[in-house]
Amino acid sequence: MSSLFGSSSTSAAQSNTPGDISKDITLTSPPEDGISDLSFSPQADYLAVASWDKQVRIYEINSSGQSEGKAKFDHEAPDGTKVVGAGADKAGRMMDLQSGTTTQVAVHDQPIRCARFVDVSNAAGPILVTGSWDKTVKYWDLRQSTAIASIACQDRVYTMDAKDKLLVIGTADRYINVVNLDLPDKFYKTIQSPLKWQTRVVSCFTDATGFAVGSIEGRCAIQYVEEKDSSANFSFKCHRQSPPNTRDVSNVYSVNAISFHPQHGTFSTAGSDGTFHFWDGNAKHRLKGYPEVGGPISATCFNRTGSIFAYAVSYDWSKGYASNTPQTVNKVMLHPVSADECKPRAKPTGKR
């Protein structure tokens, strides 16, 4: 199979063989401050990069893996022609990539942590949903200046993701709220995270039947929405390292990002240890692990075809402000996904 950045091998190595990052390409002119989020357009290879320098940058990625900065605006979820950035200024701003104009489209009483475009029943077009540290989630019709609906959460919103009619909201104190977007103004279900420590990220399955949860304690959980599927729920350890010449000791790192492959339904995890891994959740199997990339990985995403895996190498604030030094690396890498790299594990054939 010929993929981005040239041809790639069609055979997958064993999962205990480190993956190859030698062909990964660095994004041109990345942000100069911490990178907080990445998002590809679902219609073209445009990559939005949000940063602590108060800006959202838009890059076009060509077929050879080279990148070009197309736009930026001061201040995450593209619908193909529009990008929304939300931040600590308590406002959400939208750039129209065709006209280049920027407008304010959302406001909260505290910093906005998350923003997603969703499809809501009976709405004329895509609706923007924002989650904030003011403990609310709000829905915005981009033609109006006020929120069309709001939900009060138990605590500050730390993470949020949406797929089809599924919206999942992770808050402080480990609450996870599930919303059916046919009934967007109330919770369909609320659970306490199956992981014992603070929720860092939630990410919806590609078929919208459930979601993955990552915590600060080097664990990931696979959680289905419906009770009838609960027997398939499980959690596992990841992003942990044992120091050399030690026994019964592990350094534990935060799981900062989880991204699902748009075609195969397999997923990645990335963490403060500076590594990323591809997993087959159905087989409970790690497909491939990759070596350290030179710093914590703060955000990840696949492009619309799954041929590019983007990851941000940037400080993730896991060690407080004192560890954010001028020498801290800030870069976005583009990993070409080979033919079999993210394919689910082949099911064993039964004996006769």
Side-chain angles (χ1 to χ4, degrees), residues 5 7-9 11 13-14 17-25 276 278 287-293 309 311 333-338 341:
F5 321 153
S7 62
S8 57
S9 172
S11 61
Q14 297 297 313
T17 302
D20 183 15
I21 59 173
S22 64
K23 297 181 177 63
D24 294 6
I25 292 180
F276 64 91
F278 294 148
L287 297 171
K288 182 70 69 176
Y290 296 80
E292 292 185 35
V293 297
F309 177 70
Y311 59 94
M333 304 298 296
L334 303 174
H335 175 76
V337 180
S338 66
E341 214 167 359

Side-chain angles (χ1 to χ4, degrees), residues 255-328:
V255 179
N256 290 335
I258 301 172
S259 299
F260 280 86
H261 192 279
Q263 295 183 351
H264 299 313
T266 52
F267 64 95
S268 65
T269 63
S272 296
D273 59 341
T275 69
F276 64 91
H277 307 263
F278 294 148
W279 307 86
D280 180 349
N282 291 329
K284 300 181 180 179
H285 175 74
R286 188 179 75 162
L287 297 171
K288 182 70 69 176
Y290 296 80
E292 292 185 35
V293 297
I297 299 177
S298 59
T300 63
C301 65
F302 287 99
N303 70 334
R304 69 195 192 285
T305 63
S307 62
I308 309 172
F309 177 70
Y311 59 94
V313 183
S314 184
Y315 186 55
D316 61 358
W317 301 96
S318 59
K319 296 182 180 180
Y321 73 91
S323 295
N324 186 27
T325 67
Q327 290 73 41
T328 300

Side-chain angles (χ1 to χ4, degrees), residues 9-87:
S9 172
T10 57
S11 61
Q14 297 297 313
S15 62
N16 58 357
T17 302
D20 183 15
I21 59 173
S22 64
K23 297 181 177 63
D24 294 6
I25 292 180
T26 305
L27 194 72
T28 302
S29 302
E32 297 179 359
D33 204 345
I35 299 165
S36 57
D37 208 356
L38 303 174
S39 185
F40 268 108
S41 164
Q43 296 184 11
D45 284 334
Y46 287 98
L47 177 64
V49 181
S51 169
W52 282 95
D53 65 2
K54 303 188 251 183
Q55 293 185 331
V56 175
R57 292 168 170 82
I58 316 300
Y59 300 85
E60 182 178 15
I61 315 299
N62 65 26
S63 59
S64 64
Q66 300 303 312
S67 55
E68 178 185 0
K70 302 298 289 186
K72 65 180 179 179
F73 63 96
D74 288 329
H75 162 44
E76 163 220 291
D79 68 350
T81 62
K82 297 178 177 63
V83 179
V84 167

Side-chain angles (χ1 to χ4, degrees), residues 176-217:
I176 296 177
N177 299 304
V178 177
V179 177
N180 176 355
L181 289 170
D182 284 332
L183 299 168
D185 58 350
K186 63 180 181 180
F187 296 140
Y188 176 75
K189 176 183 286 189
T190 295
I191 66 169
Q192 204 100 35
S193 170
L195 306 178
K196 295 181 179 179
W197 295 85
Q198 177 181 307
T199 302
R200 191 76 173 87
V201 60
V202 296
S203 184
C204 296
F205 298 173
T206 52
D207 63 3
T209 60
F211 51 93
V213 185
S215 78
I216 62 170
E217 189 230 354

Side-chain angles (χ1 to χ4, degrees), residues 84-108:
V84 167
D89 60 357
K90 311 175 190 177
R93 292 180 171 83
M94 181 181 69
M95 169 175 276
D96 187 314
L97 296 181
Q98 295 176 334
S99 67
T101 58
T102 301
T103 54
Q104 182 171 326
V105 293
V107 65
H108 279 263

